[in-house]
């Protein structure tokens, strides 16, 4: 194993950023061995913050291979997001594109960035790396919301796209998200191949972060206005809605949560004719990389929408809409008649959006040629809607890299994929972009809300109750457990598998009717016992269906030391469904996961 001081000297040899060089030198001056090991021994993982694995790096640190990009805390060291790791990643991606994509140099790479600390600089350094490799750069000079990059890749027929963002992560983090030439996040084998290519391109070719502005260098074109205008036109075509001039508006409070969403949301609401109904949370309106008014800039987090709800209360508004800092996710809360604010779960908002396509006269007659998708940890209610209404349903592994590529696969067969979503408040309208998009999802929601009120006199919450009465009540009991290390996680899953042959036969009082192990590639519900979904041996995932219409999934998190648990029960009432989900979760914790015995800490 390479000595840590040798790794530090290698870092100082490669790094030309004065800020991170000084940071590394300070660690050396203090002889902070623990921090040096943390910063240098393992290389920042390449992926969509996916599963952690380790491969020995050429000159020491472990390389953690993922699928799709980078995301980590900013700072000096091979394990952090910084100028050097951005350059190295960009060079590796560039080399792989030149080897893999025909005419990659002329097709170019789309590059965008959000408002986080260092995002613009990282984007400029990435552009310099592609220019140094002879690849054209399609440049966004102004702040972009993440979906504008995959949209631009398809619009410009580019070889790839790069978005510098850490989405809803804390302020200390940043990231680097990669899209393939099909406008989707990358999936195997590209992820592993790019990771390998990075290791062969570690010596920086350029540190000139102003190269993107040098007109004497290979082609760099600022396409921000062109692509943004095309995107707005695509949203208008997909949503197809104009409010009658005399229609009474439905007011809502909007917060971009200190991110980039406001100009996009403003333009889209203006196109739809409902801008007059939007009030903005002024304290959170402008981009601010420190996110000063929220503990975490994640709309899912408890308390994240409190300020928006208080602002709505002051203005006598009963609906809050939020996008996360890079505006690719959407959250909605409604004030109920009892005075309580209800924040819709990702599953609830997903089925509300899906209902728009079922009831819309423009699509109702074409249900059999339509499809809607969600992930294996998302609600089964969409499947129930498909079975009753006649449209096609598909599920994928977690993540929009899978949803986007599945949508493309179906579209190639002539299927109209109208919507895809996952429970983590991500929604995709494939006719616009093959990735989650909080802005277009907000447009669809506002239009749907307007029509529910005008034609049925129901609010989103009341519409949701109508859907439950039609398709069944679905309630969830989701949680996670902190695991001390990957070895413990693997041991927990191995023990569960050993509770039966070929799998456990019951959990609590309920019999297991189907067992699917994506890690080992075994499914009791198929003729060959091979799962339909891709096998992922590097991460843990087991799904089982139990008596009384209960489904549960356990999986290891790729971004954090967690075991995530998703339990959903369908019942004749919300009370019955909720009780079923909670009981199975209790049985799961007691019989299978056993937190105390395994050193796990429940959320």
């Amino acid at each position: 194993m390479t000595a840590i001081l040798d790794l530090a000297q290698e870092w100082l040899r490669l790094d030309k950023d004065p800020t991170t060089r000084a940071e590394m030198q300070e660690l050396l001056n203090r002889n902070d061995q623990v921090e040096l090991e943390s910063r240098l021994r393992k290389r920042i993982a390449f992926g969509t913050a996916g599963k952690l694995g380790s491969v020995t790096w050429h000159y020491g640190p472990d390389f953690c291979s993922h699928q799709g990009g980078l995301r980590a805390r900013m700072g000096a060291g091979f394990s952090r997001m910084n100028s050097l790791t951005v350059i190295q990643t960009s060079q590796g991606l560039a080399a792989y594109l030149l080897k893999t994509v025909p005419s990659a140099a002329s097709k170019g790479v789309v590059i965008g960035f959000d408002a986080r600390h260092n995002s613009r600089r990282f984007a400029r350094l990435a552009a310099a790396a592609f220019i140094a490799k002879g690849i054209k750069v399609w440049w966004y000079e102004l702040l972009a919301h993440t979906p504008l990059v995959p949209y631009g890749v398809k619009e410009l027929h580019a070889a790839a796209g790069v978005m510098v963002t850490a989405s809803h992560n804390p302020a200390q983090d940043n990231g680097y998200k990669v899209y393939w030439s099909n406008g989707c996040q990358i999936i195997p084998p590209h992820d592993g191949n790019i990771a390998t290519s990075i290791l062969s391109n570690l010596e920086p070719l350029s540190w000139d972060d102003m190269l993107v502005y040098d007109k004497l260098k290979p082609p760099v074109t600022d396409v921000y206005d062109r692509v943004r205008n095309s995107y707005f036109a695509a949203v208008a075509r997909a949503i197809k809605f104009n409010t009658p001039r005399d229609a009474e508006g439905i007011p809502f409070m909007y917060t971009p949560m200190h991110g980039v969403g406001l100009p996009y949301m403003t333009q889209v609401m203006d196109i739809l004719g409902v801008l007059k109904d939007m009030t903005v949370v002024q304290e959170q309106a402008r981009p601010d990389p420190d996110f000063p008014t929220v503990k975490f800039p994640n709309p899912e987090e408890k308390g994240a929408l409190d300020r928006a709800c208080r602002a709505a209360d002051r203005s006598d508004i009963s609906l809050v809409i939020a996008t996360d800092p890079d505006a690719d996710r959407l959250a909605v809360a409604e004030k109920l008649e009892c005075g309580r604010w209800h924040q819709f779960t990702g599953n609830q908002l997903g089925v509300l959006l899906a209902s728009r396509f079922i009831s819309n006269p423009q699509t109702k007659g074409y249900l059999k040629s339509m499809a809607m998708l969600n992930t294996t940890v998302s609600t089964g209610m969409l499947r129930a809607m498909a079975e009753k209404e006649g449209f096609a349903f598909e599920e994928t592994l977690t993540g929009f890299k899978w949803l986007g590529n599945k949508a493309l696969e179906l579209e190639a067969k002539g299927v109209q994929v109208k919507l895809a979503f996952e429970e983590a408040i991500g929604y995709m309208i494939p006719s616009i972009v093959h990735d989650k998009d909080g802005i277009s999802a907000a447009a669809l929601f506002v239009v749907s809300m307007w029509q529910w009120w005008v034609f049925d006199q129901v609010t989103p919450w009341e519409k949701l109750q109508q859907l439950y009465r039609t398709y069944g009540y679905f309630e969830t009991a989701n949680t996670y457990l902190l695991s001390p290390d990957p070895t413990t996680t693997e041991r927990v899953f191995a023990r569960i598998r050993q509770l039966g042959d070929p799998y456990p036969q019951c959990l609590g009082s309920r019999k297991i009717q189907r067992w699917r192990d994506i890690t080992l590639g075994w499914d009791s519900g198929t003729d060959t016992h091979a799962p339909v979904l891709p096998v992922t041996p590097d991460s843990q995932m087991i799904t089982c269906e139990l008596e009384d219409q209960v489904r549960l999934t356990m999986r290891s998190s790729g971004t954090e030391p967690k075991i995530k648990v998703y339990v959903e029960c369908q019942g004749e009432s919300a009370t019955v469904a909720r009780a079923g989900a909670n009981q199975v979760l209790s049985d799961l914790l007691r019989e299978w996961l056993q937190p105390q015995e395994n050193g796990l800490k429940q959320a």
Side-chain angles (χ1 to χ4, degrees), residues 7 53 60 81 122 155 175 201 205 214 218 223 229-230 242 286 288 308-309 342 365 375 448 527 539 597:
L7 293 176
M81 272 292 296
F122 290 162
E155 173 74 8
N201 290 273
L205 299 179
D214 189 343
V223 291
N229 292 339
S230 175
N242 289 297
R286 294 182 178 276
D288 188 328
C309 291
H342 171 78
T375 63
S448 302
D527 292 339
S539 63
E597 293 87 338

Side-chain angles (χ1 to χ4, degrees), residues 310-327:
R310 289 196 298 269
D313 283 335
R314 291 193 298 269
S315 300
D316 197 25
I317 291 173
S318 62
L319 197 80
V320 166
I321 294 177
T323 50
D324 66 342
D326 68 328

